Amino acid sequence: MARSGKLSSTGDQRENGRQQILDVIRTAGHIARIDIAKATGVSPATVTAITAELLSAGLIEEVAPDTTSEIRRGRPRVALKIRGAAHRIAGLKVAHHTISTVITDFVGKELASHEMPLIKGRMPLPELCAQIRRALEFTCQKGGFVIEDLSGVGLGLAGMVDAERKFVYWSSSLEERNVDLGQALAEVLPCPVFLDNDANLVAKAEHLFGEGRTCDNFIVITIEHGVGMGIVIDGKIYRGKRGCGAEFGHTKVHLEGALCQCGQRGCLEAYVGDYALLREANISSGNERHTSLLSLFKAAENGDAMARSVLDRARRMFAMGLANVVNIFDPSKIILAGARMTFDHLYSDKVIEEMQQWVVHVDAPLPEVIIHDWGDLMWANGAAAYGIEEVTSQTVKEFANAAA
Amino acid sequence: MARSGKLSSTGDQRENGRQQILDVIRTAGHIARIDIAKATGVSPATVTAITAELLSAGLIEEVAPDTTSEIRRGRPRVALKIRGAAHRIAGLKVAHHTISTVITDFVGKELASHEMPLIKGRMPLPELCAQIRRALEFTCQKGGFVIEDLSGVGLGLAGMVDAERKFVYWSSSLEERNVDLGQALAEVLPCPVFLDNDANLVAKAEHLFGEGRTCDNFIVITIEHGVGMGIVIDGKIYRGKRGCGAEFGHTKVHLEGALCQCGQRGCLEAYVGDYALLREANISSGNERHTSLLSLFKAAENGDAMARSVLDRARRMFAMGLANVVNIFDPSKIILAGARMTFDHLYSDKVIEEMQQWVVHVDAPLPEVIIHDWGDLMWANGAAAYGIEEVTSQTVKEFANAAA
DNA sequence: ATGATTTAATTTGAAACTCAAAAAAAACAT
DNA sequence: ATGTTTTTTTTGAGTTTCAAATTAAATCAT
């Protein structure tokens, strides 16, 4: 057994309360004290006490009474909301050819964003740190402030990351392996940095701001070059022991199957990732050579049997992968999150339909599958969401010290 | 966000403490108060207070001072342990041809066990209830007591079970689908019944008494006729939204693959379950007909190429499935639990070795894979473990009412 | 033996929290 | 104006935890 975590020691209990109430306010957008009490089960008296603290700390603020609201008798409720000005947070996504950055306020509202091209996709540690700082400086400048104004930075990387230790086992952006990136960035930036695998960050964003707002157990799947997964269990990102779980893309779907960019065979990614499709389409010579997915799609639409067959297989493989996720997690929701949704063949009702033939059936509704089209800043926004959450919990923890 | 669970309200906090301390005592076997304080982070003062309550409630007892212990200075520590006599718990596993039952004390020590044959593997609800009662009566009689002496019963079923609602979507033992088995058994038995999928119960047993004692994040895999999985995350069984997650056996490992007993194709179970092996071995006529795995193994040992090939494929498929579990969960441990370990080809070092070729590699040690040979009563013991845990938590909750 | 030392367990009193109930505040209804 | 209704705040009591002091029970040193 050995349940983890201690009994809440003194001072600790309040911390929970503050965290919980901040969470409720954030999810609700704005909410009156009485409703916080109802939502959390905490007594109104305690809600008053805790919100008073948060107010005086400047983390939340009262909303101007809503005159358009339906007229009710009694003392009008005054809603509370997160105070945007409390903190500025940056989110960065390091991709192969760009670093995209977004800066938001504490509410999550975008204040500035910037896309900075990268000459080299993979570079040594010091250079990556420098580029990250440069991207931040650019974006801050656009917003009219400086790096020192940031309370925290979230950073998303493709690769194997141990978020807790801020340690990168391997990333496609880094020449070195096993890098203490947290340490390295701490030396270059004036504010705390929080990093994680990029798919986990998207899951975080869905939980704070997206389709997972009202839900504590769901799976997020992203497909671009590779296939990513984020697992949210009981409201927390599940990362595994070493921090490198949720490697859905390298889940094996075929014994001795197609070669994956990771060097192994039979990975799901090797069937549904974009490079896999192009490779497959171009392998049989004689046909036109496809250089982009778009041309492949077009060919399929025009009745090209080979193109169709390639897309068909990808779709079936993906449906099978999704079914396995359902069979293993039985989640409340599955969110297919995409930045540009180029994968029409994968993000489609047909996939969801096909998935159902592979899942174990019981007489209870299947998990809802939601397709969420974020737009270009999805990854950076995910990183910002993580930054916001971490800064929040850090601030809440500092309360105790501040009081002393 | 919407973190689940309320802020610990009054009276609730102590409940946590009691539960946590009981857990620590159970895991440790016997442990002195001072060490409980260290293990939990709770102050010695509070440990004294809580253990005093538990002592007077008869849930724990002091251990006679250990004279053989190494001599130390100072006041000798007096160890505490769970009081076996506090409760009697039964665990039942309904299998196809038998119901096996074990009755344990509150410590988990076996008091009696019984294997009752079943004429029909699948039967209507009332009959199953009657058989369960009969099995319990037999076993109680063997132990020299009656059903009324039991504080709780754990029950393991093959099939799709929602443990929380005590609801059976489908079970190979029941003719009906969607049965409120908890309700039905409550009418037939004088004590609370707790039921779950059998693999989950084995996971529970590993956590309480087995290889998962010191570990809060691990996966248990069982192979018999079918393939089962139990997921322990943060010390709790993960069951999914509808209670039917962890269906590892019906995870698809091959598009349009081998036919499974569930009616679908490509399930892992259809490659590694015992029926799958025999089917595969017997499909190519001309060879001797195998009626048991044993004869298949023998043939392979004697160099029969076909038999070897059948076992080889099963092993590779299983290794692949295991690798997928690692890729998704990155658990601290994987426990391969078996009752009779007839699956030498699967429960072997070779599988573990092969698995490594399919997992995503990082420079951190792989999850430990442990093979745990339980003996015949594994399933029933799992059910008993669940019963013990549920009775414990129920007793702890009743404390509050008792005090009032 | 006897007192010093050491470690474990218990007691005590203060501080932190939460909550129910009462009070206050802020609106509408008549 | 006065009453009603609903939200928020205040108040005071009751839990619970913990640090510090105390007591308990052993060994060690002489």
Side-chain angles (χ1 to χ4, degrees):
Chain A
M1 315 250 270
R3 254 152 243 240
S4 54
K6 4 158 105 196
L7 236 192
S8 60
S9 59
T10 314
D12 213 38
Q13 198 170 5
R14 247 305 157 69
E15 189 180 311
N16 288 346
R18 279 188 286 255
Q19 183 70 253
Q20 199 187 351
I21 286 180
L22 271 176
D23 285 353
V24 168
I25 296 176
R26 171 152 275 142
T27 340
H30 53 93
I31 183 172
R33 290 174 180 79
I34 184 78
D35 291 323
I36 296 176
K38 275 177 201 146
T40 57
V42 172
S43 75
T46 304
V47 172
T48 292
I50 292 180
T51 53
E53 276 183 355
L54 296 174
L55 276 166
S56 79
L59 288 181
I60 60 175
E61 59 190 358
E62 297 194 335
V63 174
D66 187 354
T67 49
T68 66
S69 78
E70 73 289 29
I71 311 107
R72 350 148 128 249
R73 295 170 60 98
R75 175 172 177 172
R77 35 185 71 185
V78 353
L80 301 169
K81 64 168 185 174
I82 303 290
R83 183 165 156 268
H87 292 288
R88 273 196 269 260
I89 314 278
L92 285 94
K93 153 79 179 190
V94 180
H96 223 65
H97 302 297
T98 61
I99 294 184
S100 42
T101 311
V102 61
I103 294 177
T104 73
D105 67 8
F106 199 44
V107 175
K109 201 185 72 178
E110 183 178 321
L111 301 178
S113 73
H114 182 69
E115 188 120 341
M116 187 180 89
L118 285 178
I119 319 276
K120 293 188 296 180
R122 162 169 292 205
M123 52 199 127
L125 175 61
E127 192 176 337
L128 180 65
C129 291
Q131 296 287 12
I132 286 173
R133 187 177 166 102
R134 220 159 67 88
L136 274 172
E137 277 167 353
F138 262 118
T139 321
C140 282
Q141 201 178 11
K142 266 193 181 175
F145 36 83
V146 293
I147 289 197
E148 282 71 21
D149 294 326
L150 300 175
S151 303
V153 175
L155 174 65
L157 284 170
M160 313 293 295
V161 179
D162 185 336
E164 204 171 341
R165 290 162 50 213
K166 302 186 183 178
F167 186 85
V168 179
Y169 291 111
W170 176 87
S171 164
S172 54
S173 304
L174 266 173
E175 284 180 3
E176 299 92 339
R177 297 180 75 103
N178 304 309
V179 172
D180 188 345
L181 184 55
Q183 176 67 44
L185 284 171
E187 287 166 13
V188 176
L189 296 177
C191 58
V193 182
F194 310 99
L195 50 105
D196 201 348
N197 172 284
D198 45 11
N200 284 344
L201 296 186
V202 175
K204 187 54 65 184
E206 292 288 0
H207 195 217
L208 255 64
F209 303 119
E211 299 289 341
R213 243 180 3 260
T214 57
C215 183
D216 262 1
N217 289 278
F218 60 91
I219 305 277
V220 174
I221 289 172
T222 66
I223 307 181
E224 280 206 345
H225 192 73
V227 176
M229 174 162 73
I231 304 167
V232 175
I233 293 179
D234 287 343
K236 290 185 314 196
I237 299 278
Y238 176 86
R239 296 190 171 92
K241 171 83 179 307
R242 300 167 300 173
C244 58
E247 278 298 332
F248 182 52
H250 299 287
T251 261
K252 303 299 175 287
V253 293
H254 202 303
L255 199 62
E256 309 291 349
L259 193 62
C260 178
Q261 52 182 346
C262 76
Q264 302 186 347
R265 285 190 173 278
C267 300
L268 179 61
E269 195 169 297
Y271 292 94
V272 308
D274 56 2
Y275 72 91
L277 293 189
L278 292 178
R279 174 182 62 185
E280 175 88 0
N282 290 327
I283 215 163
S284 52
S285 56
N287 288 302
E288 65 177 309
R289 201 168 164 75
H290 298 287
T291 53
S292 77
L293 284 182
L294 198 63
S295 81
L296 183 61
F297 291 155
K298 281 272 159 61
E301 262 173 37
N302 295 334
D304 180 325
M306 199 273 281
R308 279 200 176 168
S309 145
V310 168
L311 294 178
D312 267 17
R313 190 177 73 168
R315 204 190 53 236
R316 292 217 310 276
M317 279 293 189
F318 186 51
M320 194 171 109
L322 277 184
N324 283 346
V325 167
V326 173
N327 286 335
I328 286 179
F329 288 104
D330 185 28
S332 299
K333 282 182 185 174
I334 294 181
I335 303 172
L336 305 180
R340 249 159 303 118
M341 293 294 173
T342 47
F343 290 79
D344 290 345
H345 60 300
L346 296 179
Y347 295 112
S348 77
D349 292 342
K350 192 150 182 195
V351 170
I352 297 165
E353 216 172 89
E354 279 186 16
M355 171 193 91
Q356 305 190 358
Q357 91 188 71
W358 306 110
V359 300
V360 171
H361 282 292
V362 299
D363 292 330
L366 273 177
E368 202 181 346
V369 179
I370 293 168
I371 295 172
H372 190 177
D373 189 346
W374 276 85
D376 273 337
L377 282 174
M378 173 173 84
W379 304 94
N381 273 317
Y386 186 43
I388 289 175
E389 195 188 61
E390 289 296 310
V391 168
T392 304
S393 92
Q394 198 170 296
T395 312
V396 164
K397 280 191 191 110
E398 277 163 6
F399 253 88
N401 312 339
Chain B
M1 315 255 266
R3 255 151 242 240
S4 54
K6 0 158 109 199
L7 236 191
S8 60
S9 59
T10 313
D12 212 42
Q13 197 171 6
R14 244 308 155 68
E15 190 180 311
N16 288 347
R18 280 188 285 254
Q19 181 69 255
Q20 198 187 355
I21 285 179
L22 271 176
D23 285 354
V24 168
I25 296 176
R26 170 152 276 141
T27 340
H30 53 93
I31 182 172
R33 290 173 179 81
I34 183 76
D35 291 322
I36 296 176
K38 275 178 201 145
T40 59
V42 173
S43 74
T46 305
V47 172
T48 292
I50 292 180
T51 53
E53 277 184 354
L54 296 174
L55 275 166
S56 79
L59 289 181
I60 60 174
E61 59 190 358
E62 297 194 334
V63 175
D66 187 355
T67 50
T68 67
S69 78
E70 73 288 33
I71 311 107
R72 355 148 124 248
R73 298 172 59 107
R75 176 174 176 173
R77 33 185 73 185
V78 353
L80 301 168
K81 64 168 184 175
I82 303 290
R83 184 167 153 266
H87 292 288
R88 272 195 271 260
I89 314 277
L92 285 94
K93 154 77 179 190
V94 180
H96 223 64
H97 303 297
T98 61
I99 295 183
S100 42
T101 311
V102 61
I103 293 176
T104 74
D105 67 8
F106 198 46
V107 175
K109 201 185 73 179
E110 183 178 322
L111 302 177
S113 74
H114 181 69
E115 189 118 341
M116 187 180 89
L118 284 178
I119 319 277
K120 293 188 295 181
R122 161 170 294 205
M123 53 198 125
L125 175 61
E127 193 177 335
L128 179 64
C129 291
Q131 295 288 12
I132 285 173
R133 186 174 167 106
R134 221 160 67 88
L136 274 173
E137 277 166 351
F138 262 117
T139 322
C140 282
Q141 201 178 11
K142 264 193 182 174
F145 36 83
V146 293
I147 289 195
E148 282 71 22
D149 294 326
L150 299 176
S151 302
V153 175
L155 174 65
L157 285 170
M160 312 293 294
V161 179
D162 185 337
E164 204 172 340
R165 290 162 49 211
K166 302 186 183 178
F167 186 86
V168 179
Y169 291 111
W170 175 86
S171 164
S172 54
S173 304
L174 267 172
E175 284 180 3
E176 298 93 339
R177 296 178 75 101
N178 303 311
V179 173
D180 187 345
L181 184 54
Q183 176 66 46
L185 284 172
E187 287 165 13
V188 177
L189 296 177
C191 58
V193 182
F194 309 99
L195 51 104
D196 201 346
N197 172 284
D198 45 11
N200 284 345
L201 296 186
V202 175
K204 186 54 60 184
E206 293 287 0
H207 195 217
L208 256 66
F209 303 118
E211 299 289 340
R213 245 182 359 261
T214 57
C215 183
D216 263 359
N217 289 278
F218 61 91
I219 305 277
V220 175
I221 289 173
T222 66
I223 306 182
E224 279 206 344
H225 192 74
V227 176
M229 172 163 75
I231 304 167
V232 175
I233 294 178
D234 287 343
K236 289 185 317 197
I237 299 279
Y238 177 86
R239 296 191 171 93
K241 171 85 181 304
R242 301 168 299 173
C244 58
E247 279 298 332
F248 182 53
H250 299 287
T251 262
K252 304 299 176 287
V253 293
H254 202 301
L255 199 63
E256 309 291 349
L259 192 63
C260 178
Q261 51 182 348
C262 76
Q264 301 186 348
R265 286 191 173 277
C267 299
L268 179 61
E269 193 168 300
Y271 291 94
V272 309
D274 55 3
Y275 73 91
L277 292 189
L278 291 178
R279 175 182 62 185
E280 174 88 0
N282 290 327
I283 214 162
S284 53
S285 56
N287 288 303
E288 65 177 308
R289 197 166 167 77
H290 298 286
T291 53
S292 77
L293 285 182
L294 198 63
S295 81
L296 182 62
F297 291 156
K298 282 272 161 58
E301 260 173 40
N302 295 335
D304 179 324
M306 198 275 280
R308 279 199 175 169
S309 147
V310 168
L311 293 178
D312 266 17
R313 191 178 72 168
R315 204 189 53 235
R316 291 217 311 275
M317 279 294 189
F318 185 52
M320 195 171 108
L322 277 185
N324 284 345
V325 166
V326 173
N327 286 335
I328 287 179
F329 288 103
D330 185 26
S332 297
K333 282 184 186 173
I334 294 181
I335 303 172
L336 306 179
R340 250 160 303 117
M341 293 295 174
T342 47
F343 291 80
D344 290 346
H345 60 301
L346 295 180
Y347 295 112
S348 76
D349 293 341
K350 192 152 183 194
V351 170
I352 296 165
E353 216 171 272
E354 279 186 15
M355 172 193 90
Q356 305 191 358
Q357 92 187 71
W358 306 110
V359 300
V360 170
H361 282 293
V362 299
D363 292 328
L366 273 177
E368 202 182 348
V369 180
I370 294 169
I371 295 171
H372 190 177
D373 189 347
W374 276 87
D376 274 337
L377 282 174
M378 172 174 84
W379 304 94
N381 273 317
Y386 186 43
I388 288 174
E389 195 188 61
E390 289 296 311
V391 167
T392 304
S393 92
Q394 198 169 296
T395 312
V396 165
K397 279 192 190 108
E398 277 161 9
F399 251 90
N401 311 340

